[in-house]
Amino acid sequence: MHPQRWGDPAAATDLPESARGLVELAFGLQDRPAVTDARPPESAIAEALLDGLRSIVGDAHVLLDDETRILRTRGKSTPDLLRARAGDLDDAPDAVVRPDGHDEVAAVLAWAAEHRVAVVPFGGGTCVTGGLAARRDGFAGLVSLDLVRMKRLLALDEVSMTATLEPGLRGPEAEALLGEHGLTLGHYPQSFEHASIGGFAATRSSGQSSAGYGRFDAMVVGLTAATPTGSLDLGSSPANAAGPDLRQLLLGSEGAFGVITSVTVRVRRAPTETAYDGWRWPSFDAGSDAMRTLAQSGLLPTVVRLSDETETAINLADPSSIGGTDDPGCLMVTGYEGTADQVAARRAAVTAVLAGLGGTPLGTGPGDAWVQGRFHAPYLRDSLLDHGVLVETLETATFWSHRSRLYADVKAALASSLGEGSLVLCHVSHVYETGCSLYFTVAARQGDDPVAQWRVAKAAASDAMIAAGATITHHHAVGTDHKPWFAREIGEVGVRVLRAVKAELDPAGILNPGVLVP
Ligand SMILES: Cc1cc2nc3c(=O)[nH]c(=O)nc-3n(C[C@H](O)[C@H](O)[C@H](O)COP(=O)(O)OP(=O)(O)OC[C@H]3O[C@@H](n4cnc5c(N)ncnc54)[C@H](O)[C@@H]3O)c2cc1C
């Protein structure tokens, strides 16, 4: 993916005509063309050093050309896109190395530790927290370790229902391999089409069907990882009491402790039936309470999400179509996957609960529309950036009893920081028996320095999250952007533990320097 935009260039679209007028009214249309001829700085790595790398992976898999380096520059947060659009490619790696298999990864790490070269593991490049922008001061260079050649289904156990996948598989590639056996992983983050299995594990990703299939880290039963001081092969049984669970040290480790070279995941039979429904709620509180009731009665659908009043209104071309009133209230989408019998039974049970709690059924239209458009929003972000609108998202999670305060505080922090005319939208994106995650989207007119404009708003929102006792991230991970708040969240002892793990597994500090560990 190009660092200036999301996804497949062929799928890019300009602002739809229907939205143009609204955007002009709300923010004024500006013309913000991207710099198209920017080149990365010269590769700073000594040519002689690279011979060692070539002897490990082969000449063809050590790449120094500008195009390859540009495509591995940073991730896909709005600041990442804005900086690339302004022609700033300073974080481009000096070289890109493409190992094939665990042993080659381990050998690359040994080479890097010996020569003090920083290594940034690269999966799909969809990171939104600065996890691909490692520090390079004090290093002989920085290489992007691209896992693109590691795309195999290594093992399948259809009795235990587990599959061992290599980290470079993108979401659709993994689903296609499993689909040949009538299986699915069921992990569908919005970045599904481009993010990788290794990235899902390294960031503890959560997909849109998490209510039914669980978060990615909950699917992982085992993994292998290469570190500069040796290899780890973890997960020898479905559950155990053999001390602390070391898999959890690698899940969410964002390339700072090791490179995940395979994951063994729990798989499910691919659904034969799917159904999506829309529900209207008179308020965000009423809809959230209904979600809590579902979660605490063990009656969750596969997908359940709830937009607040603003997000509901913005997402609807014709708000009055919802529930036949001028007030669209809050839209909830429920989705069901499984066999026909499973879908029918769960849908009937959920429908009875939601109707009993005062929800208004809206039929399948809103749910089907959500499914159709679920991977499209990032393209819309590009066209809004083209027209001078600042759009970005952030997320957090808390217990049910704190949800209302967290929602109010983060919303207020974003709105007051971004100023009059800005929009703050929110939805409940993932639910648990004990709480939920809140996912915010903001839109504002871009000022002269939109990166700084966003940094101020994001800091205000992050302060509000920590002050409310919530987490700095439910599924986007820490990267470099969240580090100060992450340190506050885990406390001084927590920071020391992470530093000790880093010192043990990566004593030379070559793995993703500056990422994750405060
Ligand atoms: C438009 C958009 C929508 C998104 N939607 C969601 C969503 O719904 N849910 C969600 O959870 N996230 C979402 N994200 C965030 C992102 O897609 C996830 O964090 C994803 O898991 C990253 O996977 P990746 O393969 O792209 O990893 P990368 O971006 O390549 O890497 C992420 C981090 O993990 C490290 N890493 C990558 N592979 C490995 C490996 N094999 N071993 C060790 N370290 C590794 C990298 O060094 C980096 O620090 C979204 C992002 C965007 C841009």
Side-chain angles (χ1 to χ4, degrees), residues 201 204 217-224 232-240 244-253 260 264:
R204 298 174 68 208
D217 49 1
M219 299 176 188
V220 175
V221 298
L223 59 83
T224 57
L232 285 160
D233 186 355
L234 301 166
S236 52
S237 58
N240 67 65
D245 188 348
L246 291 180
R247 286 172 307 182
Q248 299 300 334
L249 271 187
L250 270 299
L251 294 170
S253 63
I260 296 165
T264 300

Side-chain angles (χ1 to χ4, degrees), residues 121 123-127 131 147 189-191 196 199 203 205-206 254-255 260 378 475 512:
T126 66
C127 176
L147 294 150
Q190 194 185 47
S191 53
S196 71
T203 60
S205 163
S206 193
E254 302 184 53
I260 296 165
H475 58 267
N512 243 352

Side-chain angles (χ1 to χ4, degrees), residues 1 6 74-77 119-128 130-132 147 167-170 187-192 194-208 250 253-256 258-261 377-378 381 430 439 475-477 479 512 515:
M1 273 187 292
W6 174 252
R74 304 191 192 101
K76 287 287 171 280
S77 69
V119 176
V120 179
F122 188 96
T126 66
C127 176
V128 283
L132 296 164
L147 294 150
L169 285 163
R170 307 294 162 100
H187 185 65
Y188 295 104
Q190 194 185 47
S191 53
F192 167 75
H194 300 281
S196 71
I197 292 293
F200 295 150
T203 60
R204 298 174 68 208
S205 163
S206 193
Q208 294 167 340
L250 270 299
S253 63
E254 302 184 53
V259 178
I260 296 165
T261 52
R381 171 175 62 163
H430 304 269
Y439 187 95
H475 58 267
H476 281 169
N512 243 352
V515 170

Side-chain angles (χ1 to χ4, degrees), residues 344-515:
R346 183 55 56 125
R347 194 179 189 187
V350 170
T351 298
V353 171
L354 296 183
L357 291 170
T360 308
L362 300 171
T364 53
D368 289 343
W370 173 77
V371 174
Q372 296 280 317
R374 68 198 286 190
F375 300 131
H376 184 69
Y379 293 103
L380 185 60
R381 171 175 62 163
D382 287 333
S383 26
L384 287 165
L385 292 177
D386 286 338
H387 291 291
V389 183
L390 176 68
V391 199
E392 182 56 308
T393 63
L394 50 77
E395 41 77 52
T396 178
T398 193
F399 297 105
W400 287 116
S401 52
H402 304 322
R403 183 206 57 79
S404 185
R405 175 190 166 190
L406 180 65
Y407 171 65
D409 289 359
V410 174
K411 195 173 164 165
L414 288 167
S416 71
S417 171
L418 290 166
E420 212 175 309
S422 60
L423 278 175
V424 182
L425 331 176
C426 181
H427 64 260
V428 176
S429 55
H430 304 269
V431 298
Y432 305 92
E433 278 178 71
T434 52
C436 65
S437 84
L438 295 178
Y439 187 95
F440 293 86
T441 303
V442 303
R445 185 182 165 82
Q446 280 182 34
D448 292 340
D449 184 350
V451 174
Q453 187 185 0
W454 174 242
R455 293 269 181 246
V456 172
K458 169 99 179 184
S462 302
D463 285 342
M465 289 173 196
I466 299 298
T471 180
I472 189 63
T473 175
H474 169 265
H475 58 267
H476 281 169
V478 176
T480 49
D481 295 356
H482 289 155
K483 265 199 330 182
W485 294 275
F486 176 52
R488 284 160 64 186
E489 184 172 333
I490 62 172
E492 191 243 330
V493 177
V495 169
R496 276 197 277 126
V497 170
L498 286 186
R499 287 182 184 158
V501 173
K502 174 86 174 165
E504 177 57 38
L505 296 178
D506 180 22
I510 50 127
L511 272 168
N512 243 352
V515 170

Side-chain angles (χ1 to χ4, degrees), residues 85-400:
R85 292 164 73 99
D88 171 0
L89 296 174
D90 283 359
D91 288 316
D94 294 310
V96 176
V97 56
R98 303 191 307 206
D100 189 11
H102 178 93
D103 293 347
E104 284 191 12
V105 172
V108 169
L109 296 185
W111 167 87
E114 183 187 345
H115 299 290
R116 219 177 146 64
V117 174
V119 176
V120 179
F122 188 96
T126 66
C127 176
V128 283
T129 54
L132 296 164
R135 253 188 37 229
R136 61 181 70 209
D137 52 293
F139 293 94
L142 182 147
V143 299
S144 172
L145 187 144
D146 190 343
L147 294 150
V148 65
R149 291 170 70 207
M150 295 172 63
K151 286 182 185 256
R152 283 162 289 236
L153 170 63
L154 295 176
L156 188 61
D157 177 348
E158 289 197 59
V159 176
S160 311
M161 293 293 276
T162 63
T164 303
L165 300 166
E166 283 196 312
L169 285 163
R170 307 294 162 100
E173 294 167 339
E175 283 296 336
L177 285 175
L178 294 172
E180 288 172 20
H181 303 272
L183 301 171
T184 184
L185 195 52
H187 185 65
Y188 295 104
Q190 194 185 47
S191 53
F192 167 75
E193 291 167 310
H194 300 281
S196 71
I197 292 293
F200 295 150
T203 60
R204 298 174 68 208
S205 163
S206 193
Q208 294 167 340
S209 310
S210 68
Y213 293 98
R215 306 165 53 91
F216 192 83
D217 49 1
M219 299 176 188
V220 175
V221 298
L223 59 83
T224 57
T227 83
T229 51
S231 294
L232 285 160
D233 186 355
L234 301 166
S236 52
S237 58
N240 67 65
D245 188 348
L246 291 180
R247 286 172 307 182
Q248 299 300 334
L249 271 187
L250 270 299
L251 294 170
S253 63
E254 302 184 53
F257 295 164
V259 178
I260 296 165
T261 52
S262 73
V263 290
T264 300
V265 281
R266 169 257 283 158
V267 291
R268 299 253 171 94
R269 293 272 162 234
T272 50
E273 183 92 359
T274 57
Y276 297 90
D277 292 327
W279 289 85
R280 178 189 182 278
W281 294 91
S283 68
F284 198 43
D285 281 345
S288 301
D289 287 346
M291 288 174 126
R292 176 168 59 81
T293 302
L294 288 179
Q296 293 176 346
S297 344
L299 266 184
L300 282 173
T302 314
V303 173
V304 61
R305 46 194 291 124
L306 172 76
S307 296
D308 72 354
E309 289 82 352
T310 318
E311 185 171 285
T312 302
I314 295 289
N315 285 344
L316 295 167
D318 178 11
S320 60
S321 61
I322 290 285
T325 127
D326 284 345
D327 170 11
C330 292
L331 175 66
M332 177 190 282
V333 170
T334 51
Y336 309 86
E337 296 187 5
T339 62
D341 286 350
Q342 285 167 339
V343 166
R346 183 55 56 125
R347 194 179 189 187
V350 170
T351 298
V353 171
L354 296 183
L357 291 170
T360 308
L362 300 171
T364 53
D368 289 343
W370 173 77
V371 174
Q372 296 280 317
R374 68 198 286 190
F375 300 131
H376 184 69
Y379 293 103
L380 185 60
R381 171 175 62 163
D382 287 333
S383 26
L384 287 165
L385 292 177
D386 286 338
H387 291 291
V389 183
L390 176 68
V391 199
E392 182 56 308
T393 63
L394 50 77
E395 41 77 52
T396 178
T398 193
F399 297 105
W400 287 116

